[in-house]
Amino acid sequence: MSAPRETLHWLSGAAILAACSLAGRLLSERLALPVPGSVVGMLLLLAGLLLYGGVPRGLALVSSQLLRLLALLFLPAAVGVFFLRDLDAGDWLALLAATTIGTLLSFTLCALLLKKLLSNAELRERRQGDD
Amino acid sequence: MTEQFVSLLQGPLFILPLNVAAFLFGLQLYRRSGTALLHPIVGASALVAAVLWSLDIDYTDYQDASGLLYALLGPAVVALAIPLKQNLGIIRRAGWPLAVTLVVGAVLAPVVAIVIALLAGAARPVLLALAGKAVTTPIALAVADKIHAAQSLTVGIVVFSGVVAAVLGPALLRWLGIEDHRILGFALGINAHAIGTARALEISALCGAFAALAMGLCGALTALALPLLTGAGA
């Protein structure tokens, strides 16, 4: 595969992402949807890919590059944590408790629920197999 | 001369290279240390904050100068459709147990956190920011914008939740006697999003696929439901 064609693939992938992002934003604004425009764009692209039946190579390339840079993209927002002024010590403590305990609790409950549901489903399959 | 220098420091010409350098530093720190506690964003944001402080640069000026990165967040959310599409086949095989767990988990994660924060007497901005807890950061940021939650607080909470679940989660499940990588991956994807997915990929490919699937679906679900629930459309 020659370099110019690679570049063309890459550009077409980037164009698809930009177009979906723009279309999502416009749709969200025009229809006054409560859903963020970028998420509308993601659903548009997902629907498109399901209809197309695959992922174009250029699109897969651009997307994996962009997703690898995710931490860089939300760095400016993350830096803001160091500049929060309107929270007092009590808020910080509540926040710490909520995230630590809350995360571990919901993590455990999710795992236990899925374990139960999966073993039920597998049991039923086996029973149907016996009939 | 000094005025020109100050405006240079507040402009994209200085801020964007600073962001990239901090990101590379955070990445190196994470790889060298090999622990999820030092997710790249931890080192990177601390370094940027230290530079802003020592050079006396305003956070709002820094935000303005970082406009290019904010602009790329939208396409990055759109790009999440690709891993979602690639993993969609898995849900057909494992079927409705995954769907049920996903819906319950997507509701449970923020609700448990908000209830604990309420009990601890947290203020309204904290509660709003906790609502986006179980979704991957770019979607959480878009949602925070819609429901008028503080973006910085939201990012902090998402990253911290991810680190907690990614570091302690696998050991917790082993202690509970759950060895199924599908279950571990799915729970990590719902509760620890991108950080959990990265951790899951280190454990096994199956674990990683389930985590990516859970992360994508959970993000889409929350983004659809949350603005409706908080009535931001009105």
Side-chain angles (χ1 to χ4, degrees), chain B residues 41-60:
Chain B
I41 199 69
V42 178
S45 59
L47 182 64
V48 171
V51 171
L52 295 187
W53 258 328
S54 53
L55 293 179
D56 208 17
I57 301 171
D58 241 22
Y59 176 63
T60 40

Side-chain angles (χ1 to χ4, degrees), chain A residues 14 16-22 24-25 28-29 32-56 59-64 66-88 90-122 124-125, chain B residues 19-20 22-23 39-41 44-46 48-49 52-53 57 59 62-63 66 69-70 72-86 88 94 96-98 100-101 104-105 108-109 112-113 116-117 120-123 126 130 133 136-139 141-143 146 151-153 155-157 159-161 164-165 168-170 172-173 176-178 180 182-184 186-188 190-191 216 220 223-224 227-228 233:
Chain A
I16 294 173
L17 281 188
C20 285
S21 175
L22 186 68
R25 215 176 60 210
S28 177
E29 272 171 23
L33 296 177
V35 183
S38 49
V39 175
V40 177
M42 178 183 87
L43 296 175
L44 284 177
L45 181 58
L46 184 62
L49 291 176
L50 287 175
L51 286 176
Y52 181 77
V55 180
L59 185 62
L61 185 69
V62 177
S63 301
S64 71
L66 200 56
L67 291 178
R68 262 204 302 269
L69 290 179
L70 259 184
L72 173 62
L73 301 188
F74 57 73
L75 179 57
V79 171
V81 174
F82 294 93
F83 294 86
L84 288 172
R85 291 273 175 272
D86 42 356
L87 292 181
D88 57 37
D91 284 334
W92 281 114
L93 209 64
L95 205 59
L96 202 65
T99 29
T100 312
I101 303 170
T103 301
L104 291 179
L105 200 61
S106 67
F107 180 86
T108 310
L109 291 175
C110 274
L112 290 175
L113 175 67
L114 183 57
K115 186 188 177 194
K116 181 99 187 78
L117 291 174
L118 277 177
S119 66
N120 279 357
E122 273 153 23
R124 192 166 317 122
E125 255 169 46
Chain B
N19 280 328
V20 173
F23 170 68
H39 182 265
I41 199 69
S45 59
V48 171
L52 295 187
W53 258 328
I57 301 171
Y59 176 63
Y62 162 76
Q63 260 185 317
S66 301
L69 298 183
Y70 280 106
L72 282 174
L73 268 175
V77 173
V78 175
L80 288 173
I82 283 98
L84 206 55
K85 158 80 175 65
Q86 285 163 343
L88 219 54
W96 64 268
L98 292 186
V100 173
T101 309
V104 173
L108 208 60
V112 168
I116 294 174
V126 173
L130 278 172
K133 181 178 172 303
T136 185
T137 317
I139 297 183
L141 277 179
V143 171
K146 274 280 181 195
Q151 291 204 327
S152 298
L153 205 52
V155 175
I157 289 168
V159 172
F160 188 68
S161 307
V164 167
L168 300 175
L172 194 64
L173 286 200
L176 286 169
I178 298 176
D180 193 331
R182 294 176 302 172
I183 297 175
L184 177 58
F186 211 69
L188 276 174
I190 291 177
N191 293 289
L224 291 173
L228 290 173

